[in-house]
């Protein structure tokens, strides 16, 4: 099941549990705006090449829209739509004053030089600059983009609108980026895991962990679990896997990765999973059919729209710091993130108890209910 179908299915289940009006349900599902632009740039050899850029702005009932920009050959409208919708519910679950958006350009960043990537980013920004903004839509890095990409967007946007550091998050520290942002998603995953384990009378130091994916999020999560005394016994990424029943030395593994340079849970492999807890650090890593199989086997799944919300939460902190023109110490960033993650977990558990549902539906009902309330209060029928 693709990401859009899965996200929409989860939304509809939540809407049914909440007893939402069918007209409101339809209104919440339809994106606020979909943007598709053509980006033509000269390559380094002088030839011209065209790419298609997308931005889906899903909902702004609770505040400006927020979401990443990805550079990937398989960026398509359906995927961008699903991820934009997911951001609407994710920001609501985290209780930060945003709605959801997502964007991307269908390109292979590894096949482009740095100057070609810069030209592409600037052309894309020129095409969408009047549709994004500090109080409208705030992009961030995603797959295939990074702090440098955000610096280019900030610079190009500022040519039209004056110096505007709050227009993007995930920026370099020297341009108003927040301390703690790089580790934020992985750190949030660990805080979420601690909140879940505390419910079960356990702690990270008592358990063994397997980490699937060793990019930014997986490597930070592994490092922080290791520091808390948790035993990481296996790590895998697209290049292969490392396993050690006595525990992997994460710091050595990180050093090796730095020196030397995707997996999804589906119905076919769900029965092979031996874990008691699954923490979804990626977006949509477990398809709904696998979800049902794992739930029936008593596996507790901490859903993506909560577990990986540390990144957007610290993006919110970065935006707040930029608007105030006052930067926080890293300890303050991490302490505030912990407070937000723990509070969100207890809010999700409250919805689970009210509606007698699992954690995924607890998170979806929490997020959808907050957006529905905001939409109704603003007078959507007028």
């Amino acid at each position: 099941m693709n990401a859009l179908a899965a996200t929409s299915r989860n939304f509809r289940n939540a809407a049914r549990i909440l007893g939402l009006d069918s007209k409101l349900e339809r209104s919440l599902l339809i994106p606020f705006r979909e943007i598709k632009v053509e980006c033509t740039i000269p390559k380094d050899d002088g030839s011209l090449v065209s790419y298609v850029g997308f931005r889906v702005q899903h909902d702004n009932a609770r505040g400006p829209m927020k979401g990443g920009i990805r550079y990937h050959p398989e960026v398509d409208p359906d995927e961008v739509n699903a991820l934009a919708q997911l951001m609407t519910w994710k920001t609501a679950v985290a209780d930060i004053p945003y709605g959801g958006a997502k964007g991307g350009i269908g390109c292979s960043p590894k096949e482009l030089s740095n100057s070609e990537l810069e030209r592409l980013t600037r052309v894309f920004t020129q095409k969408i600059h009047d549709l994004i903004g500090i109080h409208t839509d705030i992009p961030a890095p995603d797959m295939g983009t990074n702090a440098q990409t955000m610096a280019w967007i900030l610079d190009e946007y500022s040519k039209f609108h004056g110096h505007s550091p709050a227009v993007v998050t995930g920026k370099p520290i020297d341009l108003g980026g927040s301390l703690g942002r790089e580790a934020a998603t992985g750190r949030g995953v660990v805080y979420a895991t601690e909140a879940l384990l505390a419910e079960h009378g356990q702690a990270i130091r008592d358990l063994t962990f397997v980490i699937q994916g060793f990019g930014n999020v997986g490597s930070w999560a592994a490092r922080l679990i290791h520091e808390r005394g948790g035993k990481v016994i296996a790590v895998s990424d697209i290049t292969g896997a490392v396993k050690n029943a006595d525990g992997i030395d994460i710091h050595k593994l990180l050093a090796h990765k730095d020196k030397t340079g995707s997996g999804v849970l589906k119905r076919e492999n769900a029965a092979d999973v031996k874990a008691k807890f699954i923490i979804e650090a990626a977006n949509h890593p477990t398809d709904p059919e696998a979800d049902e199989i794992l739930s029936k086997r008593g596996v507790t799944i901490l859903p993506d729209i909560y577990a990986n919300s540390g990144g957007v939460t610290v993006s919110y902190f970065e935006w707040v710091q930029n608007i105030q023109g006052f930067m926080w110490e890293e300890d303050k960033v991490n302490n505030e993130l912990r407070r937000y993650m723990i509070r969100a977990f207890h809010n999700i558990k409250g919805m689970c108890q009210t509606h007698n549902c699992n954690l995924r539906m607890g998170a979806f009902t929490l997020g959808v209910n907050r957006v529905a309330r905001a939409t109704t209060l603003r007078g959507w029928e007028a």
Side-chain angles (χ1 to χ4, degrees):
M1 186 179 290
N2 73 21
L4 183 59
T7 306
S8 299
R9 174 167 149 174
N10 286 326
F11 165 76
R12 288 200 172 91
N13 285 344
R16 194 188 69 246
I17 290 168
L18 292 165
L20 288 192
D21 174 86
S22 61
K23 294 193 291 297
L24 177 59
E25 179 183 335
R26 181 169 161 70
S27 169
L28 291 177
L29 206 51
I30 299 169
F32 170 77
R33 183 190 283 138
E34 294 188 31
I35 304 151
K36 184 178 180 182
V37 294
E38 169 253 348
C39 302
T40 299
I41 59 159
K43 293 199 76 174
D44 293 342
D45 63 8
S47 63
L48 289 178
V49 61
S50 292
Y51 300 97
V52 178
F54 301 96
R55 187 73 176 166
V56 174
Q57 297 172 330
H58 180 257
D59 191 277
N60 61 0
R62 299 182 67 256
M65 293 164 285
K66 185 89 190 75
I69 288 177
R70 53 178 49 190
Y71 289 179
H72 192 270
E74 289 169 25
V75 167
D76 72 87
D78 263 10
E79 183 193 39
V80 175
N81 213 312
L83 294 169
Q85 189 197 136
L86 210 55
M87 284 301 293
T88 296
W89 318 133
K90 184 183 293 185
T91 51
V93 169
D95 204 14
I96 52 180
Y98 287 145
K102 207 73 172 186
I105 299 176
C107 67
S108 299
K110 287 192 174 78
E111 292 171 16
L112 296 172
S113 70
N114 204 49
S115 58
E116 287 166 345
L117 282 169
E118 180 176 353
R119 288 196 287 276
L120 180 58
T121 302
R122 289 183 183 278
V123 168
F124 184 50
T125 308
Q126 288 163 18
K127 295 287 178 89
I128 66 168
H129 76 88
D130 53 346
L131 298 168
I132 62 172
I134 295 166
H135 300 293
T136 310
D137 177 3
I138 305 131
D142 202 305
M143 194 188 295
T145 58
N146 55 26
Q148 179 59 72
T149 320
M150 296 305 108
W152 292 328
I153 294 174
L154 163 60
D155 184 69
E156 198 62 32
Y157 180 88
S158 295
K159 289 175 185 175
F160 296 95
H161 302 274
H163 184 57
S164 311
V167 74
V168 288
T169 58
K171 299 180 293 294
I173 302 292
D174 292 335
L175 291 177
S178 177
L179 296 171
R181 175 65 187 85
E182 192 205 342
T185 310
R187 191 176 293 279
V189 165
V190 172
Y191 289 152
T193 304
E194 287 178 326
L196 174 66
L197 294 178
E199 281 279 311
H200 293 263
Q202 292 179 300
I204 283 176
R205 66 179 177 274
D206 306 326
L207 298 172
T208 55
F209 295 81
V210 172
I211 295 177
Q212 189 178 7
F214 206 61
N216 171 278
V217 181
S219 59
W220 273 106
R223 184 179 310 185
L224 295 165
I225 286 166
H226 185 66
E227 284 171 9
R228 283 160 168 74
K231 192 190 281 188
V232 179
I233 57 168
V235 169
S236 72
D237 70 2
I238 201 160
T239 61
V242 182
K243 186 178 176 184
N244 182 344
D246 298 324
I248 295 165
D249 185 324
I250 295 298
H251 294 292
K252 279 187 182 166
L253 182 60
L254 286 164
H256 174 75
K257 181 177 181 270
D258 289 342
K259 201 166 74 178
T260 58
S262 134
V264 169
L265 288 173
K266 301 192 287 289
R267 183 178 59 209
E268 291 77 20
N269 62 10
D272 303 331
V273 174
K274 304 288 189 287
K276 290 192 189 77
F277 303 101
I278 293 174
I279 317 295
E280 294 185 334
N283 286 319
H284 183 58
T286 313
D287 78 19
E289 289 161 329
D291 216 358
E292 285 171 22
I293 293 167
L294 292 163
S295 292
K296 279 176 188 158
R297 290 183 47 222
V299 178
T300 302
I301 301 173
L302 203 56
D304 51 1
I305 63 164
Y306 163 64
N308 69 24
S309 64
V312 72
T313 303
V314 175
S315 275
Y316 164 58
F317 300 162
E318 181 178 332
W319 180 73
V320 166
Q321 291 168 75
N322 294 155
I323 289 171
Q324 290 181 330
F326 182 81
M327 305 310 284
W328 300 355
E329 297 292 334
E330 190 165 356
D331 278 353
K332 179 175 168 68
V333 173
N334 293 341
N335 290 336
E336 285 293 316
L337 173 60
R338 185 170 183 276
R339 192 169 69 82
Y340 270 73
M341 295 301 294
I342 289 170
R343 184 180 68 187
F345 181 77
H346 292 305
N347 289 336
I348 291 167
K349 285 298 290 184
M351 291 303 266
C352 291
Q353 282 151 10
T354 302
H355 299 293
N356 190 25
C357 59
N358 64 16
L359 288 166
R360 190 180 310 281
M361 272 306 109
F364 265 90
T365 51
L366 177 65
V368 170
N369 194 43
R370 281 179 173 158
V371 178
R373 277 213 313 265
T375 304
T376 308
L377 285 166
R378 290 180 67 150
W380 69 283
E381 288 178 299

